[in-house]
Amino acid sequence: GAVVSQHPSRVICKSGTSVKIECRSLDFQATTMFWYRQFPKKSLMLMATSNEGSKATYEQGVEKDKFLINHASLTLSTLTVTSAHPEDSSFYICSASAPGQRSYNEQFFGPGTRLTVL
Amino acid sequence: QKEVEQDPGPLSVPEGAIVSLNCTYSNSAFQYFMWYRQYSRKGPELLMYTYSSGNKEDGRFTAQVDKSSKYISLFIRDSQPSDSATYLCAMKRQGAQKLVFGQGTRLTINP
């Protein structure tokens, strides 16, 4: 149980285009979803936290107009990288959590999406 | 100073060795401590989680938390080549949603 999927797993796009990444919780309802960015050989950097039906809370230094997050249902969140540039190339990972089994609300991670902007 | 410090390695050991991975932290409010394993180009998967201080064992893995020293460890016994991955420590405060990650340690187990 507790499976999180991401689509696409890999995307290559031209500079200036927008890219949408989907994150789905397949077998549970995720009240909260998180979006992370990871550079090669670096740790995960939290970009934003989104609760279903609410606006996302962005971390300091993350441009909310650049990285649009929508959490429209309890099983789906999307991250749209608008007007992507080469510096946006990275590995984007989502995670999802729900209240319940563990007291600390475990986050279940998706497999990641590798974005390359040419 | 980063909230969580983790030696990035890389760390390379022979198969069968005992591996010790460590993190230090500065925020005494952290109550939940996790270790994640991440294979190349994959998302992290939870290995161990500990609440407050103490030890926790799961098969070949042992997690230790020393809150007085603000220091956590993950021990891997009888290490296997399949244990080769990046290991990330993470922690969070009571009631908080946000996880704070260490930099991750790249581990290679040589056959």
Side-chain angles (χ1 to χ4, degrees):
Chain A
V3 178
V4 176
S5 70
Q6 277 182 247
H7 178 80
S9 59
R10 191 167 201 169
V11 57
I12 300 172
C13 69
K14 291 183 179 179
S15 187
T17 60
S18 294
V19 175
K20 181 184 282 189
I21 302 170
E22 291 186 350
C23 176
R24 293 182 185 271
S25 56
L26 298 185
D27 51 4
F28 68 102
Q29 292 187 324
T31 51
T32 307
M33 287 187 168
F34 305 83
W35 286 95
Y36 294 85
R37 185 172 178 177
Q38 187 175 34
F39 292 102
K41 301 180 183 179
K42 298 291 184 184
S43 189
L44 281 75
M45 182 192 80
L46 179 65
M47 299 174 67
T49 301
S50 74
N51 294 294
E52 186 265 339
S54 303
K55 287 185 178 180
T57 301
Y58 290 80
E59 293 298 300
Q60 191 172 10
V62 178
E63 299 175 61
K64 59 182 179 182
D65 295 329
K66 172 79 171 173
F67 300 99
L68 300 178
I69 291 171
N70 184 287
H71 189 170
S73 78
L74 286 171
T75 58
L76 173 65
S77 176
T78 59
L79 168 67
T80 301
V81 183
T82 61
S83 186
H85 291 286
E87 58 265 30
D88 299 323
S89 298
S90 192
F91 194 51
Y92 292 88
I93 306 175
C94 73
S95 70
S97 72
Q101 299 177 353
R102 294 186 189 268
S103 60
Y104 72 95
N105 292 347
E106 180 179 352
Q107 289 185 31
F108 301 95
F109 286 83
T113 296
R114 181 158 303 281
L115 170 64
T116 302
V117 185
L118 302 176
Chain B
Q1 182 189 9
K2 290 181 183 177
E3 274 192 293
V4 180
E5 298 272 5
Q6 183 177 6
D7 186 339
L11 181 62
S12 182
V13 300
E15 183 175 356
I18 296 174
V19 176
S20 172
L21 303 168
N22 311 294
C23 288
T24 58
Y25 63 95
S26 58
N27 190 342
S28 57
F30 287 138
Q31 293 277 13
Y32 297 97
F33 303 92
M34 280 71 77
W35 286 95
Y36 287 85
R37 177 175 62 196
Q38 185 178 23
Y39 291 113
S40 182
R41 300 180 182 181
K42 300 290 185 184
E45 56 175 325
L46 182 67
L47 269 181
M48 303 281 289
Y49 122 83
T50 309
Y51 173 71
S52 196
S53 282
N55 294 359
K56 190 171 187 178
E57 190 173 319
D58 185 1
R60 297 184 294 112
F61 298 90
T62 300
Q64 287 186 351
V65 175
D66 182 348
K67 292 193 73 180
S68 62
S69 301
K70 296 191 181 70
Y71 188 88
I72 69 170
S73 301
L74 177 71
F75 297 96
I76 306 174
R77 290 185 301 280
D78 187 25
S79 55
Q80 305 293 311
S82 57
D83 295 328
S84 298
T86 296
Y87 290 79
L88 299 134
C89 64
M91 38 199 89
K92 70 188 282 288
R93 294 178 288 109
Q94 181 92 29
Q97 292 181 314
K98 180 179 173 179
L99 282 176
V100 181
F101 282 88
Q103 190 174 352
T105 300
R106 285 181 58 207
L107 172 67
T108 301
I109 310 296
N110 301 302

